[in-house]
Amino acid sequence: MSGGLLVAGTTSDAGKSVVTAGICRWLVRQGVKVAPFKAQNMSLNSFVTREGAEIGRAQAMQAQACRIEPTALMNPVLLKPGGEQSSQVVLLGKPVGELSARGYHGGRQQQLLGTVLDCLAELRGTYDAVICEGAGSPAEINLRRTDIVNMGIARNARLPVLVVGDIDRGGVFASFFGTVALLSPEDQELVAGFLVNKFRGDVSLLAPGLDMLQDVTGRRTYGVLPFRHGLGIDEEDGLRVSLRGAVRESEVTAPVGEDVLRVAVCAIPLMSNFTDVDALAAEPGVVVRFVDRPEELADADLVVIPGTRGTVRALEWLRERGLADALVRRAAEGRPMLGVCGGFQILGEHIEDEVESRKGQVDGLGVLPVRVRFAREKTLTRPAGEALGERVEGYEIHHGVAEVLGGETFLDGCRVGQTWGTHWHGSLESDGFRRAFLREVAAAAGRRFVPAPDTSFAALREEQLDRLGDLIEQHADTDALWRLIESGAPQGLPFIPPGAPA
């Protein structure tokens, strides 16, 4: 078998990432050697591979679904937004510069097609199957000429395309039909059919609509996946959370001790790697929510200032909203706070930035004895060490170089009183360290909270990936899906007018 598939979507956040992961986990359980691929990703949630390459966290999660190590080949182009008009371009895991949207789509994107195809070809030469994820919608007719992630990659690599639609949003039939009808005849030849995602209710009531969809498009539906809570792991298209709500609508498991522990995460601009708090949300009795007003910090037992692609901009935002003063007061009162990466830099004395914001020297919050200078070269590492008497692993993605001038050593950063700061992402996924940290937080907050002794974040992640694989195995036509991956799109698929504009 040497197969492939492109999972496209009617919209962003239709479920492409989780469907791709589910197909990968289903295939690997069938004994297929499979790998994920996304030619171009736009995300502030990224990960560092063992060779020191930065890729989207969704592809790292999909590699885990495949039970393989992630590599830069799986996400050759990563765009990290730095504002409304520009993004940092990461090519094969390394930053190569900043580009405006016009500059990228005006020519640079098409220049990367050869690199993207080479990466895909290398994966296809190594694995039995490669499951590719598209971006946004393949029917973005204004971007089709330079597309390298949707129909552009499908056409060049002759990949069959499965279009995913989120029926929970409504309008899924119109979205399926319109997606196909806005593609050129050559592109339509590769669109094999559809997959309905997030369906609630009796699937038999949907069957007549699926039959009519096949009548008008000549394309079948390969499955109807039911709505499930808590499956949006490591996605990049959106926060998956309301800024007024809990992480991923998660239900808090009853605490082991007498109290719950409340965690408030400051929803700073260009927030990156907010997946750091997922391990906290996985703990029984820990309530994690995102906040953007100072009064919402009042009842928090722990405040987290997460990473950001715009440290100086986030600092300005905290000051504008009154959150900066609330954080300084909190530190003075000895109430627990954790700054991660950009959040760590914000808590320092001052920041010298001629790289990211180009605003020169800017005063930080002065809570930690740290001075930060932004270097042009990005730090991309997978450190390991000890803290609070426990083994810890993490990963670093930052331009800021921190000079720690005092306090207690904490990972690569420091601790002063009940304020901790580190550049390490992912440290809370180390179970023993997370439990030790939460015990310290609970004691400082005066909460009778006890961490569960047996919570394994890695095991919970595996359970989630298996649930995704189960969804595909139980609710998709896996025989037809297998034929699609192995043999390509069916021959003779009809053209649906009007097609792409000239």
Side-chain angles (χ1 to χ4, degrees):
M1 179 179 182
S2 179
L5 176 69
L6 176 71
V7 179
T10 56
T11 61
S12 294
D13 205 31
K16 298 183 295 290
S17 295
V18 294
V19 167
T20 299
I23 293 173
C24 286
R25 178 50 61 101
W26 161 65
L27 284 172
V28 81
R29 293 196 307 207
Q30 308 306 308
V32 178
K33 188 179 177 185
V34 59
F37 180 79
K38 185 161 186 172
Q40 171 197 294
N41 212 339
M42 178 172 279
S43 178
L44 288 172
N45 267 352
S46 58
F47 183 75
V48 179
T49 67
R50 293 205 180 277
E51 69 268 27
E54 184 180 9
I55 65 171
R57 270 198 72 102
Q59 279 59 66
M61 174 269 292
Q62 291 160 356
Q64 187 175 348
C66 298
R67 298 180 178 145
I68 58 176
E69 274 291 324
T71 72
L73 293 174
M74 298 171 187
N75 179 207
V77 181
L78 173 63
L79 305 178
K80 303 194 73 175
E84 296 297 324
Q85 299 293 330
S86 67
S87 293
Q88 182 181 67
V89 181
V90 179
L91 180 62
L92 292 175
K94 304 296 180 183
V96 294
E98 297 272 341
L99 274 180
S100 67
R102 180 177 293 275
Y104 184 68
H105 290 288
R108 178 60 169 154
Q109 183 181 34
Q110 188 65 21
Q111 294 170 8
L112 297 174
L113 179 60
T115 300
V116 163
L117 290 172
D118 287 345
C119 291
L120 178 57
E122 187 170 343
L123 288 174
R124 296 187 80 178
T126 306
Y127 292 90
D128 299 329
V130 178
I131 308 303
C132 307
E133 180 187 344
S137 162
E140 305 290 354
I141 55 179
N142 55 316
L143 303 177
R144 177 61 185 91
R145 183 178 61 84
T146 57
D147 170 48
I148 64 170
V149 64
N150 290 307
M151 300 312 300
I153 194 77
R155 282 268 293 277
N156 278 279
R158 302 307 299 170
L159 292 170
V161 178
L162 183 68
V163 181
V164 177
D166 179 356
I167 197 170
D168 196 49
R169 291 184 173 188
V172 75
F173 292 117
S175 297
F176 282 145
F177 182 87
T179 297
V180 179
L182 279 177
L183 299 178
S184 69
E186 295 80 6
D187 286 349
Q188 287 193 26
E189 288 177 2
L190 296 172
V191 178
F194 314 106
L195 187 75
V196 176
N197 192 27
K198 300 182 185 178
F199 179 72
R200 305 175 192 249
D202 184 348
V203 72
S204 67
L205 299 177
L206 189 65
L210 300 179
D211 291 340
M212 286 185 277
L213 180 66
Q214 183 162 2
D215 288 342
V216 297
T217 67
R219 289 158 174 85
R220 59 166 299 165
T221 298
Y222 284 77
V224 178
L225 307 186
F227 187 98
R228 293 286 187 269
H229 283 282
L231 293 180
I233 48 181
D234 294 2
E235 296 176 87
E236 66 273 347
D237 286 332
L239 273 181
R240 315 179 317 280
V241 297
S242 161
L243 294 185
R244 316 235 66 80
V247 175
R248 299 197 187 109
E249 304 173 328
S250 57
E251 296 180 6
V252 178
T253 309
V256 175
E258 297 179 44
D259 283 346
V260 298
L261 207 64
R262 296 174 176 84
V263 179
V265 184
C266 294
I268 55 181
L270 298 174
M271 183 165 43
S272 62
N273 287 72
F274 51 85
T275 46
D276 283 333
V277 300
D278 287 352
L280 294 177
E283 280 287 343
V286 175
V287 183
V288 179
R289 56 196 172 93
F290 287 83
V291 303
D292 58 3
R293 295 193 302 232
E295 56 269 25
E296 294 176 302
L297 304 184
D299 67 343
D301 301 306
L302 170 67
V303 171
V304 177
I305 306 97
T308 173
R309 172 80 167 86
T311 301
V312 171
R313 178 179 169 187
L315 185 54
E316 293 170 345
W317 181 87
L318 289 168
R319 287 186 167 126
E320 289 166 2
R321 288 190 163 254
L323 281 160
D325 290 339
L327 293 173
V328 172
R329 285 196 303 272
R330 187 179 179 91
E333 294 165 359
R335 303 182 67 197
M337 290 198 301
L338 171 65
V340 180
C341 200
F344 168 42
Q345 297 165 7
I346 284 168
L347 292 172
E349 295 174 357
H350 72 248
I351 299 164
E352 186 180 333
D353 181 12
E354 299 291 350
V355 176
E356 196 173 74
S357 68
R358 297 183 176 87
K359 291 198 174 182
Q361 187 162 309
V362 177
D363 289 336
L365 298 187
V367 173
L368 293 177
V370 175
R371 296 175 182 172
V372 176
R373 177 185 55 82
F374 273 66
R376 297 201 174 277
E377 186 174 345
K378 184 183 283 191
T379 297
L380 296 167
T381 63
R382 291 270 292 270
E386 286 192 6
L388 304 180
E390 299 287 347
R391 180 75 173 167
V392 192
E393 295 182 356
Y395 58 99
E396 295 184 47
I397 305 170
H398 54 92
H399 284 280
V401 179
E403 181 185 7
V404 179
L405 303 172
E408 298 177 49
T409 299
F410 177 68
L411 302 176
D412 72 317
C414 65
R415 171 186 180 179
V416 173
Q418 296 301 322
T419 301
W420 294 263
T422 177
H423 276 126
W424 289 23
H425 294 290
S427 63
L428 294 168
E429 295 179 18
S430 298
D431 298 325
F433 168 73
R434 182 181 64 255
R435 287 192 277 269
F437 176 71
L438 289 176
R439 281 193 290 268
E440 293 243 2
V441 169
R447 292 285 185 189
R448 289 172 294 183
F449 169 84
V450 179
D454 56 354
T455 301
S456 167
F457 186 75
L460 290 171
R461 172 55 56 87
E462 277 297 300
E463 288 176 15
Q464 279 187 306
L465 293 171
D466 276 332
R467 289 174 67 198
L468 293 179
D470 292 343
L471 279 179
I472 298 299
E473 190 167 335
Q474 296 168 11
H475 300 282
D477 185 337
T478 52
D479 288 340
L481 199 55
W482 185 282
R483 289 193 298 272
L484 189 62
I485 294 168
E486 190 173 32
S487 304
Q491 296 296 308
L493 292 169
F495 170 69
I496 307 302

